[in-house]
Amino acid sequence: MLSLAYATCFQALRETREQLLMDTKWPIGVFASIDAGLGVRLEVARELGVHTVHLHTPHAPSRTPQRAAEFNQRLADLGIKITCVFAGFEGESYADIPTVQRTVGLMPRATRAARTVELKEIADFARQLGVDVVGMHLGFVPHEKTDPDYRDLLDITRAVCDHCRGNGQAMHLETGQEPVDVLVQFLDDVERDNLFVNFDPANMILYGAGEPIPALEKLGARVHSIHCKDATWSDKPGETWGCEVPLGDGDVNFDSFVKTLNKIGYTGPLTIEREIPQEPERQKAEIGRAIDLLQRLKQKYK
Ligand code: MG
């Protein structure tokens, strides 16, 4: 009887702690995957003490109501909440900037129609997971409004936003593949109030798209989710990749980043992204150090 009371009490305390961690301003998150894409495994997220994740969308055969129910049970067991499902497509490659332009998101014409259909299916799968945010890289948005691809991309993005609205979801576009002014113009032109920004400061540097902190300030209240990732500039910005590095070792300046998040009123998860899934032990250790750094900055600015 005593052990039952203890177990009940322990469970209640655990649930209270989980709730507190979920409710706190700037809960720490991590980019994660189940069977496809980048990021750490869910068990690693749990080992790191992280309770929120951005989930890279699983392969198409896994996107079924039955698998969603299984994932939801697993997430409940691990005490993890998905705050964003990130779309990804077969055939995408981030090998170098020209390859990204050719293969990523909805810009490649050859796959545009099929990927638009699939993106809506991913949104429906996210709904089955109880997730109200779908994130993605659109690809390189053309800089000129007169470009036929720009107009086509506007129409597609409106259709996807409207589909997400029907699911009670928002759409978050990830930054980096275009300068902030191009992104702001595009967001305004789409004219949908469930379209926001997932701000990734390292991408601004990796793609040579501009200084991240002024871009974050400019986007302000449009930023509804973020990736905490660091990088160093290329010696040919926009032509060749910069280099992704552990959080705090790059050119983002995370002190200034967190300070600016506070300034623009962002209170959502700080979702760490470290894209070295081929080195899981190093990835886990570096994310652990990133958590320590972010916890210190949270204390400083919250
Ligand atoms: Mg990112």
Side-chain angles (χ1 to χ4, degrees), residues 171-251:
M171 202 42 208
H172 292 189
L173 300 185
E174 175 135 349
T175 53
Q177 289 159 351
E178 50 280 315
V180 65
D181 289 339
V182 174
L183 181 61
V184 167
Q185 185 65 61
F186 184 78
L187 293 168
D188 286 345
D189 289 346
V190 174
E191 295 181 311
R192 290 296 185 273
D193 61 7
N194 62 331
L195 182 64
F196 301 103
V197 169
N198 181 74
F199 192 88
D200 186 326
N203 282 352
M204 304 294 296
I205 292 170
L206 287 167
Y207 289 94
E211 289 287 349
I213 305 300
L216 177 62
E217 277 206 72
K218 186 154 201 170
L219 288 165
R222 298 173 194 260
V223 176
H224 277 217
S225 60
I226 64 165
H227 285 164
C228 293
K229 190 170 86 189
D230 211 345
T232 53
W233 289 94
S234 159
D235 56 359
K236 294 179 186 166
E239 289 180 48
T240 60
W241 278 120
C243 184
E244 190 196 325
V245 297
L247 207 77
D249 291 356
D251 295 326

Coordinates of all heavy atoms in Angstrom, one line a residue, residues 171-251:
M171 N 1.9 27.4 -40.8 CA 3.0 27.0 -41.7 C 4.2 27.9 -41.3 O 4.0 29.1 -41.2 CB 2.5 27.3 -43.1 CG 3.1 26.8 -44.3 SD 3.4 25.1 -44.4 CE 4.6 25.3 -45.6
H172 N 5.4 27.3 -41.1 CA 6.6 28.0 -40.8 C 7.6 27.9 -41.8 O 8.0 26.7 -42.1 CB 7.2 27.6 -39.4 CG 6.3 27.9 -38.2 ND1 6.8 27.8 -36.9 CD2 5.1 28.4 -38.1 CE1 5.8 28.2 -36.1 NE2 4.8 28.6 -36.8
L173 N 8.0 28.9 -42.5 CA 9.1 28.9 -43.5 C 10.4 29.1 -42.8 O 10.6 30.0 -42.1 CB 8.9 29.9 -44.6 CG 7.5 29.8 -45.3 CD1 7.5 30.9 -46.5 CD2 7.3 28.4 -45.9
E174 N 11.4 28.2 -43.2 CA 12.7 28.3 -42.6 C 13.5 29.3 -43.3 O 13.5 29.4 -44.6 CB 13.4 26.9 -42.6 CG 14.8 27.0 -42.1 CD 15.2 25.9 -41.2 OE1 14.3 25.2 -40.8 OE2 16.4 25.8 -40.9
T175 N 14.3 30.1 -42.6 CA 15.1 31.2 -43.2 C 16.4 30.6 -43.7 O 16.9 29.5 -43.4 CB 15.5 32.2 -42.1 OG1 16.1 31.5 -41.0 CG2 14.3 33.0 -41.7
G176 N 17.0 31.5 -44.5 CA 18.4 31.2 -44.9 C 18.7 31.2 -46.4 O 19.8 31.6 -46.8
Q177 N 17.7 30.7 -47.1 CA 18.0 30.6 -48.6 C 17.7 31.8 -49.4 O 17.9 31.9 -50.6 CB 17.2 29.4 -49.1 CG 17.8 28.1 -48.6 CD 16.9 26.9 -48.6 OE1 15.7 27.0 -48.9 NE2 17.4 25.7 -48.3
E178 N 17.2 32.9 -48.7 CA 17.1 34.2 -49.3 C 17.3 35.3 -48.3 O 17.2 35.0 -47.1 CB 15.7 34.4 -50.0 CG 14.5 34.1 -49.1 CD 14.3 32.6 -49.0 OE1 14.3 31.9 -50.0 OE2 14.1 32.1 -47.9
P179 N 17.7 36.5 -48.7 CA 17.9 37.6 -47.8 C 16.6 37.9 -47.1 O 15.5 37.6 -47.6 CB 18.4 38.7 -48.7 CG 18.9 38.1 -49.9 CD 18.1 36.8 -50.1
V180 N 16.7 38.5 -45.9 CA 15.5 38.8 -45.1 C 14.5 39.6 -45.9 O 13.3 39.4 -45.8 CB 15.9 39.4 -43.8 CG1 16.5 40.8 -43.9 CG2 14.7 39.5 -42.8
D181 N 14.9 40.6 -46.7 CA 14.0 41.5 -47.3 C 13.1 40.7 -48.4 O 12.0 41.0 -48.6 CB 14.7 42.6 -48.0 CG 15.2 43.7 -47.0 OD1 14.7 43.7 -45.9 OD2 16.2 44.4 -47.4
V182 N 13.8 39.7 -49.0 CA 13.0 38.9 -50.0 C 12.0 38.1 -49.3 O 10.9 37.9 -49.7 CB 14.0 38.0 -50.8 CG1 13.3 37.0 -51.7 CG2 15.0 38.8 -51.6
L183 N 12.4 37.5 -48.1 CA 11.5 36.7 -47.3 C 10.3 37.5 -46.8 O 9.1 37.1 -46.9 CB 12.2 36.1 -46.1 CG 11.4 35.2 -45.2 CD1 10.8 34.0 -46.0 CD2 12.2 34.7 -44.0
V184 N 10.6 38.7 -46.3 CA 9.5 39.6 -45.8 C 8.5 39.9 -47.0 O 7.3 39.8 -46.8 CB 10.0 40.9 -45.2 CG1 8.9 41.9 -45.0 CG2 10.7 40.6 -43.9
Q185 N 9.0 40.2 -48.1 CA 8.2 40.6 -49.3 C 7.3 39.4 -49.6 O 6.1 39.5 -49.9 CB 9.1 41.0 -50.5 CG 8.3 41.4 -51.7 CD 7.5 42.7 -51.4 OE1 8.1 43.8 -51.1 NE2 6.2 42.7 -51.5
F186 N 8.0 38.2 -49.6 CA 7.2 37.0 -50.0 C 6.1 36.7 -49.0 O 5.0 36.4 -49.4 CB 8.2 35.8 -50.1 CG 7.5 34.5 -50.5 CD1 7.2 34.3 -51.9 CD2 7.2 33.5 -49.6 CE1 6.6 33.1 -52.3 CE2 6.5 32.4 -50.0 CZ 6.2 32.2 -51.3
L187 N 6.4 36.8 -47.7 CA 5.4 36.6 -46.7 C 4.2 37.6 -46.8 O 3.0 37.2 -46.7 CB 6.0 36.8 -45.3 CG 7.1 35.8 -44.8 CD1 7.8 36.3 -43.6 CD2 6.4 34.4 -44.6
D188 N 4.5 38.8 -47.1 CA 3.5 39.8 -47.3 C 2.6 39.5 -48.5 O 1.4 39.6 -48.5 CB 4.1 41.2 -47.5 CG 4.6 41.8 -46.2 OD1 4.2 41.2 -45.1 OD2 5.4 42.8 -46.2
D189 N 3.3 39.0 -49.6 CA 2.6 38.8 -50.9 C 1.7 37.5 -50.8 O 0.7 37.4 -51.5 CB 3.6 38.6 -52.0 CG 4.3 39.9 -52.4 OD1 3.7 41.0 -52.0 OD2 5.3 39.9 -53.1
V190 N 2.1 36.6 -49.9 CA 1.2 35.4 -49.8 C -0.1 35.7 -49.1 O -1.2 35.2 -49.5 CB 1.9 34.3 -48.9 CG1 1.0 33.1 -48.6 CG2 3.2 33.8 -49.6
E191 N -0.1 36.7 -48.2 CA -1.3 37.2 -47.6 C -2.1 36.1 -46.9 O -3.3 35.9 -47.1 CB -2.2 37.9 -48.6 CG -1.6 39.1 -49.2 CD -2.6 39.8 -50.3 OE1 -3.1 39.1 -51.1 OE2 -2.8 41.0 -50.2
R192 N -1.4 35.4 -46.0 CA -2.1 34.4 -45.2 C -1.7 34.6 -43.7 O -0.5 34.7 -43.5 CB -1.8 32.9 -45.6 CG -2.4 32.6 -47.0 CD -3.9 32.6 -47.0 NE -4.5 32.1 -48.2 CZ -4.7 32.9 -49.3 NH1 -4.5 34.2 -49.2 NH2 -5.3 32.4 -50.4
D193 N -2.7 34.6 -42.8 CA -2.3 34.9 -41.4 C -1.9 33.7 -40.6 O -1.7 33.8 -39.4 CB -3.5 35.6 -40.7 CG -4.7 34.8 -40.7 OD1 -4.7 33.6 -41.1 OD2 -5.8 35.3 -40.3
N194 N -1.8 32.5 -41.3 CA -1.2 31.4 -40.6 C 0.2 31.0 -41.1 O 0.7 29.9 -41.0 CB -2.1 30.1 -40.6 CG -2.4 29.6 -42.0 OD1 -2.3 30.4 -43.0 ND2 -2.7 28.4 -42.2
L195 N 0.8 32.0 -41.8 CA 2.2 31.8 -42.3 C 3.2 32.6 -41.5 O 3.1 33.8 -41.4 CB 2.2 32.3 -43.8 CG 3.6 32.1 -44.5 CD1 3.9 30.6 -44.6 CD2 3.5 32.7 -45.9
F196 N 4.2 31.9 -40.9 CA 5.2 32.5 -40.1 C 6.6 32.0 -40.4 O 6.8 31.4 -41.5 CB 4.9 32.2 -38.6 CG 3.5 32.6 -38.2 CD1 2.5 31.7 -38.0 CD2 3.3 34.0 -37.9 CE1 1.2 32.2 -37.6 CE2 2.0 34.4 -37.5 CZ 1.0 33.5 -37.4
V197 N 7.5 32.3 -39.6 CA 9.0 32.0 -39.9 C 9.5 31.1 -38.8 O 9.3 31.3 -37.6 CB 9.8 33.4 -39.9 CG1 11.3 33.1 -39.9 CG2 9.4 34.2 -41.1
N198 N 10.3 30.1 -39.3 CA 11.2 29.4 -38.4 C 12.6 29.9 -38.7 O 13.2 29.8 -39.8 CB 11.2 27.9 -38.8 CG 12.1 27.1 -37.8 OD1 11.8 26.9 -36.7 ND2 13.3 26.7 -38.3
F199 N 13.1 30.7 -37.7 CA 14.4 31.4 -37.9 C 15.5 30.5 -37.5 O 15.7 30.0 -36.4 CB 14.4 32.7 -37.0 CG 15.5 33.6 -37.4 CD1 15.4 34.5 -38.4 CD2 16.8 33.5 -36.8 CE1 16.4 35.3 -38.8 CE2 17.8 34.3 -37.2 CZ 17.6 35.2 -38.2
D200 N 16.4 30.3 -38.5 CA 17.6 29.5 -38.3 C 18.8 30.4 -38.6 O 19.1 30.7 -39.7 CB 17.7 28.3 -39.2 CG 18.8 27.4 -39.0 OD1 19.9 27.9 -38.6 OD2 18.7 26.2 -39.2
P201 N 19.5 30.9 -37.5 CA 20.5 31.9 -37.7 C 21.7 31.4 -38.5 O 22.4 32.1 -39.3 CB 20.9 32.3 -36.3 CG 20.6 31.2 -35.4 CD 19.3 30.6 -36.1
A202 N 22.0 30.1 -38.3 CA 23.2 29.5 -39.0 C 22.9 29.5 -40.5 O 23.9 29.6 -41.3 CB 23.5 28.1 -38.4
N203 N 21.7 29.2 -40.9 CA 21.4 29.2 -42.3 C 21.7 30.5 -43.0 O 22.2 30.5 -44.2 CB 20.0 28.8 -42.6 CG 19.7 27.3 -42.4 OD1 20.6 26.6 -42.2 ND2 18.4 27.0 -42.4
M204 N 21.4 31.6 -42.3 CA 21.7 32.9 -42.9 C 23.2 33.0 -43.3 O 23.6 33.5 -44.3 CB 21.4 34.1 -41.9 CG 20.0 34.1 -41.4 SD 18.7 34.4 -42.6 CE 19.1 36.1 -43.2
I205 N 24.0 32.4 -42.4 CA 25.5 32.5 -42.6 C 25.9 31.4 -43.6 O 26.7 31.7 -44.5 CB 26.2 32.2 -41.2 CG1 26.0 33.4 -40.3 CG2 27.7 31.9 -41.4 CD1 26.4 33.2 -38.9
L206 N 25.4 30.2 -43.5 CA 25.8 29.1 -44.4 C 25.5 29.5 -45.8 O 26.3 29.2 -46.7 CB 25.0 27.8 -44.0 CG 25.5 27.1 -42.7 CD1 24.5 26.0 -42.3 CD2 26.9 26.5 -42.9
Y207 N 24.3 30.1 -46.1 CA 23.9 30.4 -47.4 C 24.4 31.8 -47.9 O 24.2 32.2 -49.0 CB 22.4 30.4 -47.6 CG 21.8 29.0 -47.5 CD1 21.3 28.4 -46.4 CD2 21.7 28.2 -48.7 CE1 20.7 27.2 -46.3 CE2 21.1 26.9 -48.7 CZ 20.6 26.4 -47.5 OH 20.1 25.2 -47.4
G208 N 25.0 32.5 -46.9 CA 25.5 33.9 -47.3 C 24.3 34.8 -47.5 O 24.3 35.7 -48.3
A209 N 23.2 34.6 -46.7 CA 22.0 35.4 -46.9 C 21.9 36.6 -46.1 O 20.9 37.4 -46.1 CB 20.7 34.5 -46.7
G210 N 22.9 36.9 -45.3 CA 22.9 38.2 -44.5 C 23.2 37.9 -43.0 O 23.1 36.8 -42.6
E211 N 23.5 39.0 -42.3 CA 23.7 38.9 -40.9 C 22.5 38.4 -40.1 O 21.4 39.0 -40.3 CB 24.2 40.3 -40.3 CG 25.6 40.7 -40.8 CD 26.7 39.9 -40.1 OE1 26.3 39.2 -39.1 OE2 27.8 40.0 -40.5
P212 N 22.6 37.4 -39.3 CA 21.3 36.9 -38.7 C 20.7 37.8 -37.7 O 19.4 37.8 -37.6 CB 21.8 35.5 -38.0 CG 23.3 35.6 -38.0 CD 23.7 36.6 -39.1
I213 N 21.4 38.5 -36.8 CA 20.8 39.2 -35.7 C 19.9 40.4 -36.3 O 18.7 40.5 -35.9 CB 21.8 39.7 -34.7 CG1 22.7 38.6 -34.2 CG2 21.1 40.4 -33.6 CD1 21.9 37.4 -33.5
P214 N 20.4 41.2 -37.2 CA 19.5 42.2 -37.8 C 18.3 41.6 -38.5 O 17.2 42.1 -38.5 CB 20.4 43.0 -38.8 CG 21.8 42.7 -38.3 CD 21.8 41.3 -37.7
A215 N 18.5 40.4 -39.1 CA 17.4 39.8 -39.8 C 16.3 39.3 -38.8 O 15.1 39.5 -39.0 CB 17.9 38.6 -40.6
L216 N 16.8 38.8 -37.7 CA 15.9 38.4 -36.6 C 15.0 39.6 -36.1 O 13.8 39.5 -35.9 CB 16.7 37.7 -35.5 CG 15.9 37.3 -34.2 CD1 14.9 36.2 -34.6 CD2 16.8 36.8 -33.2
E217 N 15.7 40.7 -35.9 CA 15.0 41.9 -35.4 C 14.0 42.3 -36.5 O 12.9 42.7 -36.1 CB 16.0 43.0 -35.2 CG 16.7 42.9 -33.8 CD 17.1 44.3 -33.3 OE1 16.3 45.1 -33.0 OE2 18.4 44.5 -33.3
K218 N 14.4 42.3 -37.7 CA 13.5 42.7 -38.8 C 12.2 41.8 -38.9 O 11.1 42.3 -39.1 CB 14.2 42.7 -40.1 CG 13.4 43.3 -41.3 CD 14.3 43.9 -42.3 CE 13.6 44.9 -43.1 NZ 14.5 45.7 -44.0
L219 N 12.4 40.5 -38.7 CA 11.3 39.6 -38.8 C 10.4 39.7 -37.6 O 9.2 39.5 -37.7 CB 11.8 38.2 -39.0 CG 12.4 37.9 -40.4 CD1 13.2 36.6 -40.4 CD2 11.3 37.8 -41.4
G220 N 11.0 40.0 -36.4 CA 10.3 40.2 -35.2 C 9.2 39.3 -34.9 O 9.4 38.0 -34.8
A221 N 7.9 39.8 -34.8 CA 6.8 38.9 -34.4 C 6.4 37.9 -35.4 O 5.6 37.0 -35.1 CB 5.6 39.8 -34.1
R222 N 7.0 37.9 -36.6 CA 6.7 36.8 -37.6 C 7.4 35.5 -37.2 O 7.1 34.5 -37.7 CB 7.2 37.2 -39.0 CG 6.6 38.5 -39.6 CD 7.3 38.8 -40.8 NE 7.0 40.2 -41.3 CZ 6.2 40.4 -42.3 NH1 5.5 39.4 -42.9 NH2 6.0 41.6 -42.7
V223 N 8.4 35.6 -36.3 CA 9.2 34.4 -35.9 C 8.4 33.7 -34.8 O 8.2 34.2 -33.7 CB 10.6 34.9 -35.3 CG1 11.3 33.6 -34.8 CG2 11.4 35.6 -36.4
H224 N 8.0 32.5 -35.2 CA 7.2 31.7 -34.3 C 7.9 30.4 -33.9 O 7.3 29.6 -33.1 CB 5.8 31.3 -34.9 CG 4.8 32.4 -34.8 ND1 3.5 32.2 -34.5 CD2 5.0 33.8 -34.8 CE1 2.8 33.4 -34.4 NE2 3.7 34.3 -34.6
S225 N 9.0 30.1 -34.5 CA 9.9 29.0 -34.0 C 11.3 29.3 -34.5 O 11.5 30.1 -35.4 CB 9.3 27.6 -34.6 OG 9.3 27.6 -36.0
I226 N 12.2 28.6 -33.8 CA 13.6 28.8 -34.2 C 14.4 27.5 -34.2 O 14.0 26.5 -33.5 CB 14.3 29.8 -33.2 CG1 14.4 29.3 -31.8 CG2 13.6 31.2 -33.2 CD1 15.3 30.0 -30.9
H227 N 15.6 27.6 -34.9 CA 16.6 26.5 -34.7 C 17.8 27.2 -34.1 O 18.3 28.2 -34.6 CB 16.9 25.9 -36.1 CG 15.9 25.0 -36.6 ND1 15.8 24.5 -37.9 CD2 14.8 24.4 -35.9 CE1 14.7 23.7 -38.0 NE2 14.1 23.6 -36.8
C228 N 18.3 26.6 -33.1 CA 19.6 27.0 -32.5 C 20.7 26.2 -33.1 O 21.0 25.1 -32.8 CB 19.6 26.8 -31.0 SG 18.4 27.9 -30.2
K229 N 21.3 26.8 -34.1 CA 22.4 26.2 -34.9 C 23.5 27.2 -35.1 O 23.1 28.4 -35.2 CB 21.8 25.6 -36.2 CG 22.8 24.7 -37.0 CD 22.0 24.1 -38.2 CE 21.9 25.0 -39.4 NZ 21.0 24.5 -40.4
D230 N 24.7 26.8 -35.2 CA 25.8 27.8 -35.4 C 26.6 27.4 -36.6 O 26.6 26.3 -37.1 CB 26.7 27.8 -34.2 CG 27.3 29.1 -33.9 OD1 27.3 30.0 -34.8 OD2 27.9 29.3 -32.8
A231 N 27.3 28.4 -37.2 CA 28.1 28.2 -38.4 C 29.1 29.4 -38.6 O 29.0 30.4 -38.0 CB 27.1 28.2 -39.6
T232 N 30.1 29.1 -39.4 CA 31.0 30.1 -39.8 C 30.8 30.5 -41.3 O 30.4 29.7 -42.1 CB 32.5 29.6 -39.6 OG1 32.6 28.4 -40.3 CG2 32.8 29.4 -38.1
W233 N 31.2 31.7 -41.6 CA 31.0 32.2 -43.0 C 31.9 31.6 -44.0 O 33.1 31.3 -43.6 CB 31.2 33.8 -43.0 CG 30.2 34.6 -42.3 CD1 30.2 35.0 -41.0 CD2 29.0 35.1 -42.9 NE1 29.1 35.8 -40.8 CE2 28.3 35.8 -41.9 CE3 28.4 35.0 -44.2 CZ2 27.1 36.5 -42.1 CZ3 27.2 35.7 -44.4 CH2 26.6 36.4 -43.4
S234 N 31.4 31.4 -45.1 CA 32.3 31.0 -46.3 C 33.2 32.2 -46.7 O 32.8 33.3 -46.5 CB 31.4 30.6 -47.4 OG 32.1 30.6 -48.6
D235 N 34.3 31.9 -47.3 CA 35.1 33.0 -47.9 C 34.4 33.5 -49.2 O 34.8 34.5 -49.8 CB 36.5 32.6 -48.1 CG 36.7 31.4 -48.9 OD1 35.7 30.8 -49.4 OD2 37.9 31.0 -49.2
K236 N 33.4 32.7 -49.7 CA 32.7 33.2 -50.9 C 31.2 33.1 -50.5 O 30.5 32.2 -51.0 CB 33.0 32.3 -52.1 CG 34.4 32.4 -52.6 CD 34.6 31.5 -53.8 CE 36.0 31.5 -54.2 NZ 36.3 30.3 -55.1
P237 N 30.7 34.0 -49.7 CA 29.3 33.8 -49.2 C 28.3 33.8 -50.4 O 28.4 34.6 -51.3 CB 29.1 35.1 -48.4 CG 30.4 35.5 -48.0 CD 31.3 35.1 -49.1
G238 N 27.4 32.9 -50.3 CA 26.4 32.7 -51.4 C 26.8 31.8 -52.5 O 26.0 31.4 -53.3
E239 N 28.1 31.6 -52.6 CA 28.6 30.7 -53.7 C 29.0 29.3 -53.1 O 28.6 28.3 -53.7 CB 29.9 31.3 -54.3 CG 29.6 32.5 -55.2 CD 30.9 33.0 -55.8 OE1 31.7 32.2 -56.4 OE2 31.1 34.2 -55.7
T240 N 29.7 29.3 -52.0 CA 30.0 28.1 -51.4 C 29.5 28.1 -49.9 O 29.3 29.2 -49.4 CB 31.6 27.9 -51.4 OG1 32.2 28.9 -50.7 CG2 32.1 27.8 -52.8
W241 N 29.3 26.9 -49.4 CA 28.8 26.8 -48.0 C 29.8 27.4 -47.0 O 31.0 27.3 -47.2 CB 28.8 25.3 -47.6 CG 27.6 24.5 -48.1 CD1 27.6 23.4 -48.9 CD2 26.2 24.7 -47.7 NE1 26.3 22.9 -49.0 CE2 25.5 23.7 -48.3 CE3 25.6 25.7 -46.9 CZ2 24.1 23.7 -48.1 CZ3 24.2 25.6 -46.7 CH2 23.5 24.6 -47.3
G242 N 29.2 28.0 -46.0 CA 30.0 28.2 -44.8 C 30.1 26.8 -44.1 O 29.7 25.8 -44.7
C243 N 30.5 26.8 -42.9 CA 30.7 25.5 -42.2 C 29.8 25.5 -40.9 O 29.9 26.4 -40.1 CB 32.2 25.4 -41.8 SG 32.6 23.8 -41.0
E244 N 29.0 24.4 -40.8 CA 28.2 24.3 -39.6 C 29.1 23.8 -38.4 O 30.0 22.9 -38.7 CB 27.1 23.2 -39.8 CG 26.1 23.2 -38.6 CD 25.2 22.0 -38.6 OE1 24.8 21.5 -39.6 OE2 24.9 21.5 -37.4
V245 N 29.0 24.4 -37.3 CA 29.9 24.1 -36.1 C 29.1 24.0 -34.9 O 27.9 24.4 -34.8 CB 31.0 25.2 -36.0 CG1 31.9 25.3 -37.2 CG2 30.4 26.5 -35.7
P246 N 29.7 23.4 -33.8 CA 29.0 23.3 -32.5 C 28.5 24.7 -32.0 O 29.2 25.7 -32.3 CB 30.0 22.7 -31.6 CG 31.0 22.0 -32.4 CD 31.0 22.8 -33.7
L247 N 27.4 24.7 -31.4 CA 26.8 25.9 -30.9 C 27.8 26.7 -30.0 O 28.4 26.1 -29.1 CB 25.5 25.6 -30.0 CG 24.5 26.7 -29.9 CD1 23.7 26.7 -31.2 CD2 23.5 26.4 -28.8
G248 N 28.0 27.9 -30.3 CA 28.9 28.8 -29.5 C 30.2 28.9 -30.2 O 31.0 29.8 -29.9
D249 N 30.6 28.0 -31.2 CA 31.9 28.1 -31.8 C 31.8 28.9 -33.1 O 32.9 29.0 -33.8 CB 32.4 26.7 -32.1 CG 32.7 25.9 -30.9 OD1 32.7 26.5 -29.8 OD2 33.1 24.7 -31.0
G250 N 30.7 29.3 -33.6 CA 30.6 29.9 -34.9 C 30.4 31.4 -34.8 O 30.7 32.1 -33.8
D251 N 29.8 32.0 -35.9 CA 29.7 33.4 -36.0 C 28.3 34.0 -35.7 O 28.0 35.2 -35.9 CB 30.0 33.8 -37.5 CG 31.5 33.5 -37.9 OD1 32.3 33.7 -37.0 OD2 31.7 33.1 -39.0

